[in-house]
Each structure stands twice: as structure tokens, then as C-alpha cells.
Amino acid sequence: MVKPKYTIAVTGLNNTDNPGPGVPVIRGLRESDTFDVRIIGLAYENLEPGIYMPNTADKIYQIPYPSAGGEAFIKKIEYIHSCEKLDCIIPNFDAELYTFMKNEKKLAQMGIKTFLPSIKQFEERHKANLPSFGKKYNINVPKSIAVTNISDLSNINDKFDFPVLVKGKFYDAYIVYNLEQLQYNFNKIASKWGVPVIIQEYIQGTEVNVVALGDGKGNTIGAVPMRKQYITDKGKAWGGITLDDEKMLEITRNLIKKTRWRGGMELEMIKTEDNKYFMIEINPRIPAWVYLANGAGQNLPEALVNLAMGINVEPYKTYKTGIMFIRYSYDLIGNISQFEKLNINGEL
Amino acid sequence: MRLKKNIAISETGFIFNPSTGDSFTLNPIGIEILSFIENEKKYEEISDAILEKYDVDTITFEKNYYDFIQMLKNNHLLENE
Amino acid sequence: MEKLRYESPIINKVNAGMPDKFGMNVNTKPISYIDGVSVKDLLKDYGSPLFVLSEKTITETYNNSKRAFTSRYPKIQFAWSYKTNYLNAVCSLFHQLGSWAEVVSGFEYEKAIKNGIEGKHIIFNGPDKSKEDLIKASKNGSLIHIDHFDELYMLIEIADSIDETPKVAIRVNMDTGIFPQWDRFGFNYENGEAWNAINRIMISKKLNLVGLHCHIGTYMMSPSPYSVATKKLIDLALEIDHKYKHKIKYLDLGGGFASKNTLKGAYLPGTDTCPTFDDYADAITNVIINSQISPENLPTLILETGRALIDDAGYILGTVLANKRLASGRRATIIDIGVNMLFTSFWYEHEIFPAQQCSTQTEDTTIYGPLCMNIDVIRQAIQFPILQKGDNVVIKRIGAYNMTQWMQFITLRPKIILIDTESKAHIIRKNETNSVFENLEITPKYLKK
């Protein structure tokens, strides 16, 4: 059988110490058994490592920030589409997802497939809405409130005991031990990601995560649980290992079934000493450690593209446990001329 | 007023300053003016050339020109004199 | 030979970075016309700066919101929120379109009467209603929305003394899941104060409880809290019916609908995230229709939305006074529009456009107003084309609150123009002159020279 060749655009090429999922997603796609790919990398900034990495993207385009508005974004995508004839786009940033979901129909009309959660699914799992989400789907969640104004922090003692976690709407989380630290980090996060900033109860335990893919009809196409073995000072996994944990899979399948989740997702949980699981975050996209799932036998980026293309995908039934990933850093050598080309032409 | 010697200006308007590692972009008229400076033209010559070619009055150009020079200085692209 | 179009030379430093900060907003498409009228001509004819309102946009926005609600629910009534913009021409236009008046002071009440609206079509809100205000409103049959117990008791006394039965509603505040919760206005739902107030009203028999009112917050970027609020008001209405066999005639859900402006601190622009009228209408009307209230007793739904109806219709036009470099080398552009007349720049990242064709190249710029005061900043950071002294700018979406909250600080307020649907400009407020203010002041004789 001849494999089809898809042109797939991918964002999140920032393979830094706070990595985006773009590069691991591309690795998954390149290893697909069912299709060949031409990869179009979409970059916001001019030093995202994925731009310069060999065997990663075939072509790079700069795109405007989500904060520039949907109109500017669509215009640029139209232009890229006219040059590349995109079959599919996989967005990988929380902050850009809203713009992609809002423009899902427009993209479809242009002939570009996506496989995204609905705005309703996206909104209800938002960090700020976690308490009501937990209630609705009967999941343990830590107590949390969304704060828009720093003056509302002064009576935080009535509601929480320190330490608490302070989190940005899209990214960033800090653990703080007193009001001064809280206010400082509130400002830090608010200036970067805007408001609301989320104040969350700190739960002691082991951090465990699941990467999963829902087909939008309630079926779990794939799911792999992982424990972070080494965590960077930014709270990111620098090493992890797949787990044999039926309870985590059950929580995942149950959630995907009830929400009819469409697309990739990452569930971040805390497993306490007494074996309770608390959901601390639900990320509406594939996480940066997704290549571990490949290693364990589930190529979720490939499955996601097939779903987007309207192809029936058989759910993965198994994965290997005890598979590890260890991130490493590596210095690429580049030349100013590449940088010039990208900055002047907006493509490379 | 002289441009620092090792500054590389490409036709596309991209400038790289190898002594600081900074890079810059210019708009087309910025490229034009910078190449006049590179060739050590005096303000009067530059002004005459620009006024001849573009629809602009002397005072507006003078203000814009010195603002541009100030920015070149701020960005350490000119030799100290 | 014809000369080429000039733009000033620009050098921009390339900042290498990671995608983790607010991006730049490159928006250089000029606005040269408003409803077919040239911005340059307007400024020439009426001076700079200048407020401009578009009748076409007001009408279209109103009709759009009316359609969103009336297509979902049979009994809809809009009440124009005077405090949002109480220019008589604007109020009259809304009244012509079918809006009642919603006022929050004796001053606004007087304005509404002068604008020819019937007393019974005025909703009187707010914590500050004097005895005289309440007597007048009672006699006129206006809808008095009680804010606190002191007002409630005063109104019972007034009803006795003037032998009228004032038509009242209570304002209810509640937890709708939003933070901060607005609990300073009205009676609280959760702690039973609202129910207590209702009982006092019903037992007194001096007041006619016709409605229930709430106003859950401002700039609500999500419609779902309105569902919660509607549900709580309906629960109260059902309890009243159950206990007193008394039917509530209307539910007033207040205002708070957002406009498409981008709030400071928001990551995505308001144009992308602002809910539509249909979203809000869905959230509210579904709850009423699916409630236990029988179809023949459905209450009228009153909406006091102000900002979402007028923000888009307002523009302020101005002129570049100067360009300068700050100590850091950053570009600053000074325009003749200050925070004294553009109060909303304290909480919005207003969109600013050049009024004439300009370079596509932009530079990171701070835009200052003309006041001799450090806080006078219209935009802290915007990617903006380089404008020359005397060039014009247009700031969009400023129709709400600016023409009521503006300050007369060190200068005089400019004219306000309404462009009618045939592209004809009308002055609807004259510019102030020194004599306006001199007439109000009295210098004691011993201080005169």
C-alpha cells in the first residue's frame, strides 16, 4: 500500500528548559507507519530551537502572537496555506488554542484539518474553573480561586493555609509560603499571562501525569501514565517513567467518556500518601513529554492526525511500563545568516 | 560621524554588529540613509538627495534624520568622535 | 518626475526571545472615514480633539442585541443606562429605538424626564436617592429599585405620607461564582437578607413589589454567571408566589455585558474573546423558559446593558503634538487626547489608528496625552507607525463612560459630534469655554485686585 503524504503544520518549537510539544510531536509524525509527512514549523519567536534543529521542520514560518488577534492570525495562515497546501495543523500552546478553536470552521473551509476540543470543553477545564469541573465530573480537585486584583489577596488567610500554589492562566506555577511571596508572584504572573491568577491549595504527594487522546465520541484512543522522576526548577519533567497504574487510566477513560473529549490532553495529578488522586490541571493539548508514549508503543501524534483526517483509528490497548525518558540539552551550531533570513522574510 | 567599521549591512536591511552581537532591521529609507553615512556623506548632501527623491519638507526630514542618528548612537553603531 | 511617498527612517533592534510574553500588535490600517465622513474634514470643521458618535452603529448594535433576546424570549424591555452616556441626543436616540431609562441619581432622573420619557418607564437604581427624589419617583409611578433597608423604611414612610403605593423592586446581590462578588449594592441572596427585605415589603402593604433586580458585575467575559443569577431571581419569584400568591412582573438582570475592548492584563484581544449578545441571551433566557414559572405568568425581562450598546459607536479623533525619545531611546508620541477625556484608558488597551496612510514599518512606542501629569498615558506600549507632528489619530470604541466620567482638568472639553444615518454631522455638545467655568466661580471681594 502506498502511504499518503500529508503536509502538517506544527507550533511549539521552543525546545527549551520549559519545552513546547512541537519537536516531540514532529518526531512522532516522522515515525508514522500510516503516512509520510512534510512538516511546516510555525514559530512565534526567532530563537525557538526547533527552527534550527535538523530533520525537524522542512520549512519554517513566523506567525503573529495570539494576542495580536484572530484576524492577523488567519491572514498569515491563509498566506502559508497558499504556499504549502496544508492538510492539517497541530497547535501546541495553551495560549493559542482559543484562537485556533474560534477559527476551526474557517480553517476547515480552507481545507485545513484540526482535531481540537470544543470551546466548551476548553473553558470548563480551565484552571480557574477547576472546582466546578471537579464537582461536575466527580473528581477530587484542590481548593482554588481565580483572582483578578491583587488587593483581593489581603484576606487570603481566611480561605487558605500556606503554602499555596499560585498559577498563571496559561503557564507558570509557584509555591509560596507567605503573603509577600504570593503578592510578588501574583504580579509576576499577571504581567506575563494576564489575569485571572489562580490560587490553589497545595497538596502533598507524588506528581503523576497521563497523556491521552480522545476521539470526541467518548472513546479513549490512547493513554499512557507517567511519573516525573526529575523535575526542573520550572516544574517541568526532565526525566520520567511509564507506570502500570490502572486507577489513573480509569480516571482518564472516565473523564474522556463523560466530557467526550476531542483531541490530545494531559492530566496532571497528585497521588497522596493514602493513595488518593487529586487532579491539579487538565491541559487541553499534547504535552512535551509525548514522545515517551511513542517509546512505550503509542504514537499519539500519528493517531491524532489520522482522526483529524477522518480515518477510523483503533484504540491502543497496551503500552510498555518501565520505559523512561531522559531529556538532555545539546548545542546546535548556526549562522547569523539563518537568523537574518528568518527575521527579514519571516520564513526559513 | 562614521559608522563602525565592522558593521555588516545586507541589502535586505539587516544589520549585524559583531562586536556586541546585536542585530537590527531597517526600513528601505533607513537603508538608503545608512549607506550615505557609510560613504561618509554630509548631512546637507543626504538631505538634498532625500528631498529630491521623496515628498518631504526640510524640517520634517531634519527632525527625522537626527532622531535616526540618535538611535544609531543609542545602539552603538557609530564611532565615537 | 513625481516624488516618492516619504516615510521616516526606522531602525529596530531584533529581540531574540522565547514565546512567553505579550506579543506585539501590529495594526497600521488607517481609519480615514467614519460612516463616510472624512476624519480630516471633521477635525478641520470642529477642532481637535473631537468626540464622534455614529448613529448607524448605535442603531445596528441595538437592533442586534434586541434580535438576540426577542428571538429567544417573548417579553423583552431594554432600559438605557444613563450613566454610560447621558448626552441628551444619545438618550433620545435610545428612547426612539424603544429603550426605557435607567437612572442612578436625581440628576439623571431629571434628564430622563426632560428627554420626554414617561415616569413609569424610568428605573431608579442606586444607593443615593434623596427623600425628594423618592417622592417624585413615587408620584410619577417610576420603578424604584431599593438598595438598602434605610431606603426601604424611608420609602414606606413616604408611601404613608403621600398616600401612594410606590412601585418597587429590590436589588439582589449574590454569589454567581465570579470573583470579586459585588456585595455592596442591594440585599444579599445567600444570607437571607433579600428574602427578609421581600417579607418587609409584602407585610407592610405600602409598596407594590413589581420586580426583582440584580447587576452581578461589570465587564463579564463569560455569560454563565448570568444563568446563575437568573436562577436565583426566579427562585425568589417562585417563593414570593408560593407565600403571598403575588406574581412578579419583571426580572431586571442589569447590565455588565462586555464590549470588544481589550482590558489591561488580558492576554487575548477583546475582539476575540468578548461574548456575543446571543451568548448572553442564551444564558439568561434558557433559565427562565426552563423554570417552574408557568408560560402565562412569564415575567418581562429587563436589560440595562450600556457599555455593550454604545462603546463601538464612539470615536475620539486627535492630533499628534510631538515626537520625542525617552532616556532609554524609546519612542514617545504625544497627542492632544489625554486621560482627562479618555478616562477608560486607565483600564483598556485602546486601539489607536492613524487617520492617514502611513508607513507599514512600526516602532515600539508609548503614546502620551498632553497633560502636564505623569499618569497621562494613553498606551504604555504599542507597535505604532511613525507619525509626524500634525498627523491625526483615531481611537476606536470609546462610546461608553468617557462622556460621563471625563474631567475638566487644566483644559476645556471638546465638541461632540453625532453622524446621522445620512452621513451628516451634528454638534450634540458644544465645546466648553472659559466663561462656562468663570460663571460658576466667586472670588471674595477682598481677594480681587
Side-chain angles (χ1 to χ4, degrees), chain A residues 14 16 44-49 65-71 75 93 95 98-99 102 145-148 152 159 170 190-195 339 343, chain C residues 14-27 29 177-180 221-222 262-269 271-276 279:
Chain A
N14 52 328
T16 62
Y44 290 104
E45 287 279 0
N46 46 30
L47 272 188
E48 295 182 33
Y65 273 100
S67 52
E71 212 185 299
K75 247 169 107 182
F93 279 119
Y98 188 87
T99 312
K102 273 261 167 177
I145 55 167
V147 178
T148 49
D152 297 327
K159 300 187 185 81
F170 297 115
S191 65
K192 213 161 159 186
W193 296 112
V195 287
F339 190 68
N343 278 295
Chain C
V14 177
N15 288 309
M18 293 301 155
D20 62 349
K21 55 180 189 279
F22 286 87
M24 34 191 162
N25 192 354
V26 182
N27 217 337
K29 228 191 285 165
I178 56 164
F179 197 82
M221 295 301 285
S222 160
T262 305
L263 285 177
K264 287 198 169 165
Y267 182 77
L268 293 169
T271 41
D272 285 6
T273 54
C274 176
T276 62
D279 296 334

Side-chain angles (χ1 to χ4, degrees), chain A residues 194-211:
Chain A
V195 287
V197 171
I198 291 96
I199 315 294
Q200 197 175 77
E201 177 190 7
Y202 176 73
I203 291 171
Q204 190 81 38
T206 313
E207 220 177 299
V208 288
N209 294 356
V210 184
V211 55

Side-chain angles (χ1 to χ4, degrees), chain A residues 10-66:
Chain A
V10 178
T11 69
L13 305 177
N14 52 328
N15 228 36
T16 62
D17 62 340
N18 185 1
V23 171
V25 164
I26 292 169
R27 287 179 77 186
L29 298 177
R30 291 213 180 274
E31 287 172 20
S32 163
D33 295 327
T34 47
F35 53 75
D36 288 326
V37 286
R38 174 174 160 78
I39 298 290
I40 308 302
L42 305 179
Y44 290 104
E45 287 279 0
N46 46 30
L47 272 188
E48 295 182 33
I51 298 171
Y52 305 96
M53 285 169 69
N55 308 320
T56 304
D58 296 300
K59 174 98 196 216
I60 298 287
Y61 290 89
Q62 274 195 313
I63 55 172
Y65 273 100

Side-chain angles (χ1 to χ4, degrees), chain B residues 9-48:
Chain B
I9 310 169
S10 78
E11 287 159 16
T12 55
F14 188 85
I15 302 181
F16 177 60
N17 181 348
S19 52
T20 61
D22 287 332
S23 24
F24 305 88
T25 57
L26 289 167
N27 62 345
I29 193 164
I31 304 174
E32 236 176 305
I33 292 171
L34 206 63
S35 61
F36 281 130
I37 296 170
E38 208 179 6
N39 294 323
E40 306 195 9
K41 297 274 188 235
K42 292 200 179 65
Y43 167 69
E44 289 72 26
E45 296 172 87
I46 299 173
S47 174
D48 287 348

Side-chain angles (χ1 to χ4, degrees), chain A residues 259-277:
Chain A
T259 58
R260 304 170 78 82
W261 189 267
R262 188 166 184 270
M265 77 189 315
E266 179 192 26
L267 303 177
E268 294 187 27
M269 298 182 231
I270 300 283
K271 184 180 177 186
T272 60
E273 282 288 315
D274 52 349
N275 280 325
K276 269 196 198 137
Y277 292 83

Side-chain angles (χ1 to χ4, degrees), chain B residues 23 25 27 51 55 64 67, chain C residues 4 6-7 12 325 388:
Chain B
S23 24
T25 57
N27 62 345
L51 262 61
D55 182 19
N64 293 166
D67 177 56
Chain C
L4 299 174
Y6 170 81
E7 63 177 43
N12 278 320
R325 291 280 170 194
Q388 309 286 357

Side-chain angles (χ1 to χ4, degrees), chain C residues 228-242:
Chain C
V228 179
T230 309
K231 175 79 175 53
K232 289 185 175 174
L233 289 189
I234 286 175
D235 286 349
L236 285 177
L238 289 169
E239 280 180 66
I240 295 165
D241 191 18
H242 181 74

